[in-house]
Amino acid sequence: MDSLILLEGVSFRYEGAGSRALDDVRLSIAPGEFVGVIGPAGAGKTTLAHTLSGVVPHVRRGDFYGSARVAGLDTVTASVVELSKTVGCVFQDVESQFVTTMVEDEVLFALENFDVPRDEIPARVDRALADLNITDLRSRGISTLSGGQKQKVALAAALALAPSALVLDEATGELDPASSVQVFGLLSQLRRERGTTIIVIEQKIMLLCAYADRLLVMDQGRVVIDGPVRRTLEQPDRLLSLGVNCPRVTTLAARLREKELYHGPPPINLDEAETMVREAMA
Ligand SMILES: Nc1ncnc2c1ncn2[C@@H]1O[C@H](COP(=O)(O)OP(=O)(O)OP(=O)(O)O)[C@@H](O)[C@H]1O
Ligand SMILES: [Mg+2]
């Protein structure tokens, strides 16, 4: 398999920390994959995202072992700027990511600084704002926006660059449910139309599972489960013991299967949940 992202034996310990935030992580992600990442607090999910963006070990320093390559770039020898042309990241704490004070400038900044041809820029800005449904916020000051609106601006700025890979680290936490669904729809569209590789760290597991094709579960710096979404959801007891809040419908599927009232896979959307309930009732 051709990997866009290849981590081989990656371990990382933050300066001054006692234990490793990443512990021997091996991971290969092909171009165009949509990968979900879940795991309890402190599992190393954000550290993994920072490793892909180069923030670890360039900005957040510490002991780094192993090798991490993204689109052929070694994250230890490449600069954060070089990496940011390939990997777009949006984090939960959007505040710290903004480099300008106005919505339009924020989207423009990225494009102007990343060798996008001048004549393409206005259309790219329009498209990014329209994609996130925030055209009306174009001339607003970022500080006047709500948390959810700020997240949309950060997402628009990342999307406008059309990077090879997009990493979202709990970047829809402040969005209302409809906007979250819209963002996931956009990610799917990007993957379909441009072959963008999507990596999403997310608490909303059901939403994630409806879109991702592969799910990683992290615990104590390690990737402890890595496989197709459904196969991961088939282990609700394992997920619960790791401290992952398993979707209730998944737990229900497991219980119904134990009682032989249902024989299908764990549902990953409403239609499948309905089919399961009908089968169990019949
Ligand atoms: N800047 C830092 N300095 C020292 N230790 C850190 C730093 N950032 C994170 N850690 C530690 O590294 C480990 C992994 O943290 P990380 O933020 O990657 O976890 P996470 O899975 O993203 O958690 P959460 O679900 O709470 O966001 C934790 O033990 C954390 O305390
Ligand atoms: Mg985190």
Side-chain angles (χ1 to χ4, degrees):
M1 178 178 69
D2 249 359
S3 309
L4 180 78
I5 291 168
L6 184 62
L7 270 56
E8 293 177 301
V10 169
S11 295
F12 182 72
R13 188 175 54 219
Y14 287 97
E15 228 164 49
S19 56
R20 293 174 167 189
L22 293 180
D23 187 11
D24 197 22
V25 174
R26 290 154 200 280
L27 182 61
S28 164
I29 298 178
E33 268 194 281
F34 193 137
V35 182
V37 183
I38 60 175
K45 305 178 297 293
T46 296
T47 307
L48 176 68
H50 281 319
T51 300
L52 303 179
S53 71
V55 164
V56 162
H58 294 280
V59 182
R60 304 274 161 79
R61 295 183 173 275
D63 300 324
F64 187 98
Y65 307 93
S67 125
R69 301 183 71 80
V70 179
L73 295 171
D74 184 313
T75 61
V76 174
T77 52
S79 69
V80 174
V81 173
E82 267 178 287
L83 285 164
S84 65
K85 294 178 185 177
T86 308
V87 191
C89 293
V90 186
F91 289 90
Q92 182 170 31
D93 169 25
V94 281
E95 215 77 56
S96 63
Q97 292 183 71
F98 293 127
V99 286
T100 70
T101 54
M102 305 293 293
V103 171
E104 182 171 22
D105 292 348
E106 190 62 30
V107 183
L108 265 174
F109 177 86
L111 294 169
E112 284 175 343
N113 286 279
F114 288 125
D115 330 315
V116 174
R118 293 262 139 207
D119 55 333
E120 278 183 27
I121 291 181
R124 294 265 286 262
V125 174
D126 291 349
R127 168 88 193 266
L129 294 175
D131 277 349
L132 272 302
N133 242 335
I134 51 170
T135 304
D136 56 324
L137 302 180
R138 182 188 278 266
S139 0
R140 290 273 295 274
I142 293 175
S143 64
T144 69
L145 304 179
S146 73
Q149 289 172 324
K150 285 177 187 166
Q151 284 192 326
K152 289 185 185 181
V153 174
L155 285 161
L159 258 58
L161 282 174
S164 312
L166 260 175
V167 181
L168 270 61
D169 183 3
E170 301 191 16
T172 65
E174 308 252 358
L175 299 185
D176 55 85
S179 298
S180 295
V181 170
Q182 195 190 351
V183 167
F184 273 84
L186 267 175
L187 296 174
S188 290
Q189 189 187 343
L190 278 178
R191 184 259 277 270
R192 211 167 45 238
E193 291 176 359
R194 300 185 196 148
T196 310
T197 304
I198 314 278
I199 298 162
V200 180
I201 299 166
E202 183 57 75
Q203 305 273 359
K204 289 169 267 186
I205 300 183
M206 266 327 263
L207 182 61
L208 186 59
C209 290
Y211 291 89
D213 19 59
R214 175 175 167 194
L215 197 58
L216 305 181
V217 185
M218 294 191 69
D219 185 44
Q220 298 185 20
R222 290 175 168 262
V223 175
V224 292
I225 305 179
D226 176 1
V229 166
R230 263 187 232 277
R231 210 190 304 145
T232 304
L233 291 182
E234 275 164 4
Q235 318 172 48
D237 295 332
R238 174 111 194 265
L239 292 175
L240 277 172
S241 73
L242 288 168
V244 172
N245 236 339
C246 212
R248 264 171 295 184
V249 69
T250 309
T251 316
L252 179 62
R255 298 293 167 263
L256 290 174
R257 274 214 304 245
E258 277 165 22
K259 294 190 185 339
E260 302 205 342
L261 291 170
Y262 174 65
H263 302 88
I268 55 171
N269 57 46
L270 200 58
D271 284 346
E272 292 183 11
E274 187 186 338
T275 306
M276 174 181 79
V277 173
R278 282 187 193 285
E279 186 182 323
M281 302 287 280

